[in-house]
Amino acid sequence: MRSRSGGRPTLEEVAARAGVGRGTVSRVINGSPRVSDATRAAVEAAVAELGYVPNTAARALAANRTDAIALVVPEPETRFFAEPYFSDMLKGVGAELSDTEMQLLLIFAGGDRERRRLAQYLAAHRVDGVLLVSVHADDPLPDLLAQLEIPAVISGPRSAAETLTSVDSDNYGGGRSAVEHLLSRGRRKIAHITGRLDVYGAQRRVDGYRDALRDAGQEADELLIEPGDFTEEGGRRAMTKLLGRRPDLDAVFAGSDVMAAGARQVLREEGRRIPDDVALVGYDDSAIARHMDPPLTSVRQPIEEMGRRMIDLLLGEIADRRPAVSRDLERRQVVLATELVTRTSS
Amino acid sequence: MRSRSGGRPTLEEVAARAGVGRGTVSRVINGSPRVSDATRAAVEAAVAELGYVPNTAARALAANRTDAIALVVPEPETRFFAEPYFSDMLKGVGAELSDTEMQLLLIFAGGDRERRRLAQYLAAHRVDGVLLVSVHADDPLPDLLAQLEIPAVISGPRSAAETLTSVDSDNYGGGRSAVEHLLSRGRRKIAHITGRLDVYGAQRRVDGYRDALRDAGQEADELLIEPGDFTEEGGRRAMTKLLGRRPDLDAVFAGSDVMAAGARQVLREEGRRIPDDVALVGYDDSAIARHMDPPLTSVRQPIEEMGRRMIDLLLGEIADRRPAVSRDLERRQVVLATELVTRTSS
DNA sequence: AGGTACTGTGGGAGCGCTCCCACAAGTGAT
DNA sequence: ATCACTTGTGGGAGCGCTCCCACAGTACCT
């Protein structure tokens, strides 16, 4: 029961089979309401009998869309797998996309070469939209996307003046809550190991740290702030420096769980007990936090939820752009609340 | 300097600009040798001036190919991120693909729902070929691919009678080498925690284990063999059973590092020293093996290399099929050597 | 009765390529 | 000079859809 030339059945063949025109079949396939029930049933029967599956290439050509979006990770694969952040986000993205026709592509653009390939790829408009995660302040990718007029949503704005639609967690509030928690536990000399400061979110956590101290009538002591780089080794280095400068510190707020793990090692080596001598708070509430000894108090970001919201917004942008509708510039910056998960390290 | 209607430039426009015909531009774009140097230069100049990028959809429609291949993972995302196996394979795949026009899609098909979506996807011929990893014995996916006549390469054949092109590491040899190593260290009561036995590779490791013992004049003791499931918890369970049945065992060969980690915990709890009382050997040589205490002797599989070979073979199959050339059925089952990495656990 | 509106349908035009046939021009043997 | 190739080139046809215009049919107003 195969069609002409042994190939896959076409719209036209379905139309012939159902005794209707091409347009009608197209309408049924695309769920247009302007089809009578009887006709719809006839077409659906023909589709089933022939095992018809639309030709995506033809559709893409005619409709000028691809029904695909890309999750672009401007990091090497290794990093992607190492950080649970991405896995959680992917879960949210996948979930939100699962009742859609959209196909998700995962594109790594760590090196220069991959960068160039990606630029070509985007220039060819091979995707309808882009999800951008983990972007640094000076990354030109967002501007390229804007120039190509490709709908895009960024996770973590590059700055307060981000022009792209973005979804973020409340890094400022997260930083505040960590410090407020430590203050409430009676800590007074609270150090902060920051993330990479060219990441806006890390910057905001520092702001939260500062303001929480200020609101408690305590000006931040610059010697208690040491920049890290989100790695374990960076956490170790920062902790060592902090202990050298302020041996009397009684708490550490690290900008990520991984850095907290590094800090913990140094504290142990120096004979400081956690939390008795020094309280420790991390950020991300990743698996590391739960398995650390002692279990780590950490600021949880709703990463999966962020993934879902990003898809929401992106699909919205894509839909908006289709009939060249006016775009509302409000509510393009979504910020989700964080939550402090208290464990025995503080 | 943009083309008609503000859209992207088309082949036709490039042709006009270069003062040649459409066919000629197409030949240049596709690297046909049948173009004079002067013409080629003119076309390339026009392409550069207009910033021409071919429309993939149109090409796909006209040429009946997609220039995309899928890496299908019949597991939930979680598993994918948890096991370093996938990350290494992806690295090899990416590397081998990087000087190609092929786009790689990553598709997870853990649940039933995803399965059905994937089937639709494949039926629509949205990829030119498929890479299949981690397939169980009773998985219908390979047959679906065969039926749809989609080129595919499988990592780890389903059985000795695998019909699909496959790339595998020498599981049999790996199992042998682990046991031979333990024998050479003077161990005589060597237990084996197997992987999931519906995975052909796990089965083969058992075969290697058995044959190595037999060749040493020692028949395998069935009470020393306990099936696991590749998880840490499974390793614990199996180890507990083995110790119960054969408290005098002096070595354990685990079918994966993760299971070895589980076994190690139980051995510790039972007060057995590693390697003094019980020698331990794992499989995969993953990060776990290096970081274990004591560092774990393990059988290394060249996973990245496997990824590269899979792409090689797949691209070959795709190319072969294009002009309906006869296919050679030899060398369709590639087996790569494993290597025992000796550390202090044995 | 005529008008106006809406609903459902058919099919032409066209999306931007590749494939392939036709053909001009050049090359070398006869 | 003729023929037979080869090389380089132009452009028609067609890939399988979507978009949209045209139009028949029906419904409901004047």
Side-chain angles (χ1 to χ4, degrees), chain B residues 20-24 27 34-36 39 61-62:
Chain B
V20 301
R22 242 174 37 251
T24 303
R27 267 170 295 236
R34 314 202 140 286
V35 181
S36 72
T39 308
L61 178 59

Side-chain angles (χ1 to χ4, degrees), chain A residues 20-24 27 34-36 39 62:
Chain A
V20 300
R22 241 173 38 254
T24 303
R27 264 165 293 221
R34 312 202 142 289
V35 181
S36 72
T39 308

Side-chain angles (χ1 to χ4, degrees), chain A residues 235-237 239-240 243 261-272:
Chain A
R236 293 181 55 91
R237 268 199 307 270
M239 193 68 246
T240 306
L243 280 178
R264 188 200 74 113
Q265 289 169 26
V266 174
L267 288 170
R268 276 284 166 87
E269 287 161 20
E270 298 296 321
R272 314 282 179 126

Side-chain angles (χ1 to χ4, degrees), chain A residues 25-48:
Chain A
V25 176
S26 177
R27 264 165 293 221
V28 171
I29 300 292
N30 293 290
S32 157
R34 312 202 142 289
V35 181
S36 72
D37 289 347
T39 308
R40 179 182 311 277
V43 170
E44 279 167 353
V47 165

